[in-house]
Amino acid sequence: MTQRAGDLPDLTETALGIELGSTTIKACLIGPDHAPIATGSHLWENELADGLWTYSLEAVWAGVQGAFAALADEVERSYGARPTTFGAIGVSAMMHGYLAFDGAGELLVPFRTWRNTNTAVAAAELSETLGTNIPLRWSIAHLYQAILDDEPHLPEIASLTTLAGYVHRALTGEHVLGVGDASGMFPIDPATGTYDQRMLEQTAHLAAAKHPGLRVEGLLPKVLPAGADAGRLTPEGAALLDPTGTLRPGIPLCPPEGDAGTGMVATNSVAQRTGNVSAGTSIFAMVVLEEPLATVHHAIDVVTTPAGDPVAMVHCNNGASELDAWAGVFGEFATALGQPCEPDAVFGALLTAALKGSPDGGGLLAYNYLAGEPITGLDEGRPLFVRIPGSRLDLAGFARAQVYGVFGTLALGMRVLADQGVEIDAMFAHGGLFRTAGVAQRLLAAATGAPVAVGRTAGEGGAWGIAVLAAYARAVEAGSDLTLSAYLAERVFGDIDLEVVEPDAADLAGFRTYLERYEAGLDIERAAVASLVPNTQNPEGDQ
């Protein structure tokens, strides 16, 4: 039961989650019942610098502090006092990428995010050598590409981590990482719960041949499972999180995790034959495997749950950003007519209209490719909306095509899993796209061919998920022997209502037709990449 305004909760029984997403940094405080008590957020944007997508470390801390301050303000408004402590804290962030530091903890090159696709040569060589798929965005691909390019910072590199690992280390001094996030840096051996030793030795041999003296195994963070002790908030960390000095040090932190892992927690999909879809700037599906995949495929990553169980991940670089941009255009149009609307209202109207569109998109196609898309073999992207002659251009068809476009590349990856015999009992969805009840959920069911469930936490996403992981670590420290799966089932989701939508026959058939056109139309996207040069000064317009 959620705390009532005016009743100051026992803050030692709360858990704070902070997640650094692609466009928003969110903070979520939950009570002992795991229901949100307060939230805070801060908007930020990546930038294209010297041809690479990045965020500055100054922007990281401005965003973390802004989200925390907004949450603390909400606690003070509701309960009359600012928080001085919490029962536990967790940090999550977008996975992968490259954050390389020297021995003094100084960043050697600007943060290279998951969105960059400059690592094709490294990823291909590593995939062939290791016998497993190493995607372009993985940290080891970024490191090995830097080695192949003989970048001048390499002699100084002392540690490598992810964004969540960086923030966690700044707060605690601990160079550690949750196993789910670590599995997006380097392959994990499920038997040991840490980096695959054989693959690590092979990678070290490759690296040493090209850059003698570089010890790959010495750069990576220590791997921890969910529930493990990952350190405590230091005085310096407390001052970073809350520059007002109100927050006290000493609070325990759970292992830092990636957004994929927190999405799994937020949707109670860490058990076998369950999966989830997270939709934001990127979109990805996670399916917990019963047994290893039969073959290696470039569209499928093998990562883990926060508990270390193997997961097949279908990751698409492009998610709902283009749909958001179109919603912004319609919002501007409403304002121009003298009828300004809140963004959520515009977005909701657009999604609701999609339900009235033709099941096959009516001859309309939308490509949401703001960035390159490895699954479809594109190093760069160009967002496009196209239609065939004779098609009807109306709001309903336009909206459905745009939502289908969000799910298009994901469906191609999910088809690979189906061909390998991977079965899914249910998909759970989360992210802002699913706040409008029943719309994106229904169309996702058509795209995946599986029932899709959405709970009341769908819009809270990873910040709530990492807060739950912090609460789990606190429970383990207090003596609980529940597995993560059992903890979620018994203590977190036992009384949460889920809305489940089964695939509609007409939608299933319609999406199959849309996907055939979508796949055939990728030649249009390739031609656009070849002929249309983006504006590198402002590559995403005014988003």
Side-chain angles (χ1 to χ4, degrees):
M1 190 174 150
T2 305
Q3 297 284 342
R4 290 177 291 113
D7 295 341
L8 181 65
D10 181 352
L11 291 173
T12 62
E13 295 186 0
T14 64
L16 172 67
I18 298 172
E19 180 159 276
L20 295 91
S22 300
T23 59
T24 309
I25 299 174
K26 294 182 179 180
C28 181
L29 182 65
I30 63 174
D33 61 354
H34 305 94
I37 292 172
T39 59
S41 65
H42 178 93
L43 297 176
W44 70 335
E45 290 188 16
N46 56 191
E47 56 183 311
L48 193 62
D50 297 324
L52 294 173
W53 293 105
T54 188
Y55 300 85
S56 70
L57 297 191
E58 292 78 12
V60 168
W61 291 111
V64 168
Q65 291 168 0
F68 179 84
L71 179 141
D73 288 345
E74 184 174 319
V75 171
E76 187 171 25
R77 286 194 302 271
S78 299
Y79 305 109
R82 294 184 76 79
T84 60
T85 189
F86 306 106
I89 298 175
V91 176
S92 172
M94 50 191 135
M95 291 175 67
H96 318 297
Y98 187 75
L99 279 157
F101 296 89
D102 65 16
E106 295 297 321
L107 188 67
L108 292 170
V109 292
F111 170 35
R112 298 168 183 176
T113 78
W114 57 270
R115 199 174 187 183
N116 292 295
T117 56
N118 63 307
T119 58
V121 175
E125 186 173 341
L126 287 170
S127 296
E128 182 177 358
T129 299
L130 303 182
T132 191
N133 182 37
I134 301 296
L136 276 63
R137 65 188 181 282
W138 279 28
S139 304
I140 191 60
H142 283 276
L143 173 62
Y144 192 53
Q145 190 66 53
I147 293 171
L148 293 177
D149 295 340
D150 195 25
E151 295 198 28
H153 73 274
L154 289 172
E156 299 179 70
I157 188 171
S159 65
L160 179 65
T161 191
T162 65
L163 182 55
Y166 161 68
V167 174
H168 180 93
R169 181 161 61 171
L171 298 180
T172 65
E174 301 289 339
H175 185 44
V176 300
L177 209 57
V179 63
D181 203 10
S183 69
M185 293 193 76
F186 194 89
I188 297 292
D189 181 354
T192 64
T194 190
Y195 306 114
D196 187 291
Q197 189 59 37
R198 176 188 63 82
M199 295 185 189
L200 200 55
E201 290 172 359
Q202 290 175 304
T203 305
H205 179 75
L206 282 178
K210 299 183 183 300
H211 201 286
L214 183 66
R215 293 180 60 253
V216 174
E217 65 274 19
L219 304 179
L220 301 174
K222 180 181 178 181
V223 181
L224 297 175
D229 178 5
R232 291 181 178 269
L233 187 67
T234 63
E236 296 79 9
L240 264 178
L241 192 55
D242 180 19
T244 70
T246 305
L247 187 64
R248 299 197 300 263
I251 303 167
L253 272 77
C254 70
E257 265 298 347
D259 51 358
T262 56
M264 300 183 80
V265 170
T267 53
N268 191 24
S269 50
V270 299
Q272 292 179 352
R273 295 176 64 95
T274 64
N276 80 92
V277 171
S278 176
T281 300
S282 64
I283 184 170
F284 53 83
M286 310 282 289
V287 179
V288 186
L289 298 172
E290 294 180 279
E291 54 189 40
L293 294 175
T295 59
V296 175
H297 195 285
H298 81 278
I300 309 298
D301 315 352
V302 177
V303 291
T304 78
T305 70
D309 298 313
V311 173
M313 181 180 191
V314 178
H315 184 280
C316 310
N317 278 358
N318 299 281
S321 293
E322 183 68 359
L323 180 60
D324 287 344
W326 278 109
V329 170
F330 284 110
E332 288 182 29
F333 182 68
T335 300
L337 291 176
Q339 301 291 329
C341 296
E342 291 295 322
D344 278 356
V346 175
F347 200 81
L350 192 59
L351 286 177
T352 301
L355 292 182
K356 301 175 184 177
S358 172
D360 68 353
L364 310 180
L365 281 176
Y367 293 95
N368 60 342
Y369 289 8
L370 283 161
E373 194 57 79
I375 287 180
T376 49
L378 286 157
D379 292 334
E380 297 181 43
R382 303 290 185 270
L384 297 173
F385 175 69
V386 298
R387 64 191 184 105
I388 60 177
S391 61
R392 179 180 177 183
L393 181 58
D394 57 15
L395 181 63
F398 174 85
R400 182 172 284 241
Q402 290 292 338
V403 177
Y404 274 176
V406 175
F407 300 143
T409 310
L410 182 75
L412 296 176
M414 295 298 291
R415 189 170 66 189
V416 174
L417 282 184
D419 290 344
Q420 295 212 24
V422 175
E423 296 184 354
I424 307 168
D425 291 332
M427 294 293 289
F428 298 82
H430 79 118
L433 184 61
F434 300 100
R435 286 202 305 266
T436 302
V439 182
Q441 180 183 6
R442 172 178 149 182
L443 301 186
L444 178 61
T448 60
V452 174
V454 173
R456 69 170 185 247
T457 57
E460 299 296 343
W464 184 77
I466 190 63
V468 169
L469 281 174
Y472 175 63
R474 183 172 177 272
V476 170
E477 184 181 44
S480 173
D481 60 357
L482 290 175
T483 64
L484 177 61
S485 179
Y487 181 85
L488 294 177
E490 296 177 20
R491 298 195 184 179
V492 182
F493 286 89
D495 61 351
I496 288 183
D497 293 329
L498 293 175
E499 179 186 351
V500 181
V501 171
E502 298 283 342
D504 175 80
D507 288 339
L508 277 171
F511 186 82
R512 280 196 297 270
T513 300
Y514 180 91
L515 194 62
E516 289 173 1
R517 293 189 187 124
Y518 182 92
E519 199 168 12
L522 285 169
D523 284 341
I524 306 170
E525 181 70 25
R526 295 184 184 102
V529 169
S531 60
L532 299 176
V533 179
N535 177 3
T536 57
Q537 297 301 312
N538 189 17
E540 293 191 26
D542 293 327
Q543 290 183 55

